[in-house]
Amino acid sequence: GLNYPVALSGETPDLGNFTIKIIDGSDNQIPKIPALRNHKPIDLNKAQYWGHLVPKGDTWRAKGSRFLDYLNNLFSERKRKSFADESDPSPPHLLSIPNNIQEDSNLYIFQLMAEAPFQFDILFKSTSSPVDLEDFTSILESKSKNFDVRFENTFGLASKGFDENQINFAHEILSNLIGGIGSYMNVREDEENFWDESRQANPKLTSPSSLFTATPSRPFFPRGFYWDEGFHQLLIGNWDNDLSLDIIKHWISLIDDDGWVPREFQTQYPHYANPPTLLMPLEAFLDRLDNESKLQHSIDDLSSHIANFTNFASTRYLNDINLAEKYLKEIYSKLKLNYKWFRRTQRGEIKKWGRSASNSEEAYRWRGRTPGHTLTSGLDDYPRPTPPHPAELHVDLMCWVGFMARSLRDIAKRLDEWNDFEEFDAQYKNIVNNLYDLHWNEVDKIFCDISFDGEKSIYVCHKGYISLFPMLLGLLPNDSPKLDAILDLIYNPDELWSPYGLRSLSKSSEFYYTGEKYWRGPIWININYLALSSLYKNYIAKPGPYQHKADKIYKELRDNIIKNIYKEYKRTGYAWEQYSAINGEGAR
């Protein structure tokens, strides 16, 4: 074996010259193992090692089957032959890896054996970095103290009246989100010629690609997820603006020449979409940029701002408007491609099914529908028209495309792309007009999906999150009577209102808590967040006839959600992706 600390030095095109050190914990206890009669004992005070040459491009699969198969075969062979003459060889004897290195190895495995509890440090040192992590313990203690100060300066929870236990909960949630950020390699299975009409798939594996991203759940779902990532970056961007922009740029770099975003872990079809949530943190970045600009017009505010924020967060793109515009220019063409892809591939029909609207083009339907699911929408089993029909139009998708048009319009304005600005602005207005013309059911006072019954176009109304999307994404003006109807739907305890948050599907629906019970009643925090965010920014901050009603709902809903999530965290030790509308319990 090798004495600690173990050092591995090398060079790669991506990392340059580097050293990795493995340092054993000073308090670690080695396993107590019985002596062998016929074999030399293993020195467990040392690290065991193994080096192997793997094919180029396969080193990222170190945890894959090839290495595991090798070890399984080794251990089986050892148990059957090498220690056959021993009555009870212990696990350290059977499972220690061989101390040998193949010539020109590019994959190295190091093994530490210790009794639990134990600890060890793995330190990465780049020759291009001035940072020295040798005294890691003291650095960690210093960073931990800095975290608490930075957290309060960023979010101000103590100043808002939250107690120490609630703030510790918030610390843990943010820490887990930040801790889930990583660079992931993946191979996708793409289907290039799969369309709803043919249903003949012939998927093919792509070459490996990498993605820098946060993850929805470190133990359960340790990979990037497009639908979730926009929500992750809303929080990460507040904590570290530049880190968030880097992650967003990695996702946007995946957009191909056709405008499609390849995604995650299931077979992908290049005409299947997902909600374009990454534009949400980009809008938030633009808001921070505007706030920074306003602060810099006041010397007093600026000095306070520098003391409380700039020393802690990574804010180069907020402090340098030229750098910010450079970033926007670098991602702008890809964002336009994706928007045009959305409009082209998710287009729905108006005149073909006897409908009329202010504009003949703005209508959309999710591709990838099945009788029980619309996975592409992100709302999985939420009730939709049954059976699926090509005449369908989906109100949430219409709102997402309108949201894209408005976001790109705002970016175009900042970049002085005035022809684009006028095009996006006209499309946004047409979408809003058609949203009213096509999806508003005046009889029931609700926004609905639409389909075709064989003779005419019909509304398919399932009260729930789908009904809220024009408000959630801010497509309704604050003086619209339609807003008043949505607020009534939200605040009705027989419909969406519960003591724990907004139900995904109305309590009055025949589908409430049926089937998978996934988006058919349980409370989802991402949609509840959209509701709170939109109420706050669009309908409380601006004077209007429904301002007081919006403010009352906002305060009660926010209080209900925070209390229940914290209650369930104390009960279970976890935050959950959804909560029961019946008793508030977290699930999944």
Side-chain angles (χ1 to χ4, degrees), residues 29-146:
Q29 299 293 319
I30 64 171
K32 296 179 176 61
I33 57 176
L36 298 174
R37 294 192 304 270
N38 303 313
H39 295 80
K40 182 179 178 181
I42 302 168
D43 188 350
L44 298 183
N45 288 298
K46 295 182 177 181
Q48 315 303 310
Y49 62 92
W50 179 74
H52 197 69
L53 176 63
V54 300
K56 185 178 180 181
D58 272 7
T59 51
W60 67 279
R61 300 178 192 248
K63 289 158 63 175
S65 61
R66 180 178 301 154
F67 173 63
L68 295 179
D69 287 346
Y70 166 80
L71 287 183
N72 284 331
N73 291 336
L74 173 70
F75 300 151
S76 297
E77 183 76 6
R78 185 179 290 166
K79 185 173 183 179
R80 190 172 70 251
K81 291 185 178 179
S82 302
F83 292 98
D85 57 345
E86 300 286 347
S87 60
D88 187 24
S90 63
H93 288 118
L94 289 175
L95 302 180
S96 63
I97 58 178
N99 292 308
N100 60 57
I101 293 177
Q102 184 178 352
E103 187 177 354
D104 296 325
S105 292
N106 55 1
L107 172 65
Y108 293 87
I109 308 296
F110 297 93
Q111 183 184 58
L112 176 151
M113 292 198 194
E115 294 281 354
F118 61 90
Q119 91 175 19
F120 60 94
D121 294 337
I122 302 176
L123 305 182
F124 174 85
K125 168 68 176 176
S126 170
T127 55
S128 64
S129 171
V131 178
D132 187 354
L133 292 178
E134 288 296 329
D135 188 10
F136 184 66
T137 300
S138 62
I139 293 173
L140 188 62
E141 291 173 352
S142 173
K143 291 289 185 182
S144 183
K145 293 175 182 176
N146 289 344

Side-chain angles (χ1 to χ4, degrees), residues 148-162 167 171 239 558:
D148 294 347
V149 176
R150 175 176 167 184
F151 187 95
E152 180 58 25
N153 281 316
T154 304
F155 300 109
L157 296 193
S159 65
K160 294 174 183 175
F162 292 98
I167 293 172
H171 284 175
W239 177 249
R558 181 176 180 272

Side-chain angles (χ1 to χ4, degrees), residues 1-7 22-24 43 45-49:
L2 301 172
N3 291 318
Y4 292 103
V6 174
I22 304 172
I23 302 174
D24 192 17
D43 188 350
N45 288 298
K46 295 182 177 181
Q48 315 303 310
Y49 62 92

Side-chain angles (χ1 to χ4, degrees), residues 188 190-192 206 226 249-263 268-272 331-342 344-345:
R188 297 189 321 276
D190 286 357
E191 174 50 59
E192 298 181 357
T206 67
Y226 185 66
K249 194 172 185 179
H250 272 81
W251 273 99
I252 291 174
S253 71
L254 296 180
I255 297 173
D256 66 16
D257 292 340
D258 195 41
W260 175 59
V261 184
R263 293 183 300 280
Q268 296 294 302
Y269 305 97
H271 61 297
Y272 284 13
I331 64 174
Y332 181 62
S333 60
K334 289 270 192 180
L335 292 175
K336 283 204 305 180
L337 272 176
N338 182 233
Y339 172 66
K340 291 177 180 178
W341 175 88
F342 249 96
R344 183 176 68 253
T345 62

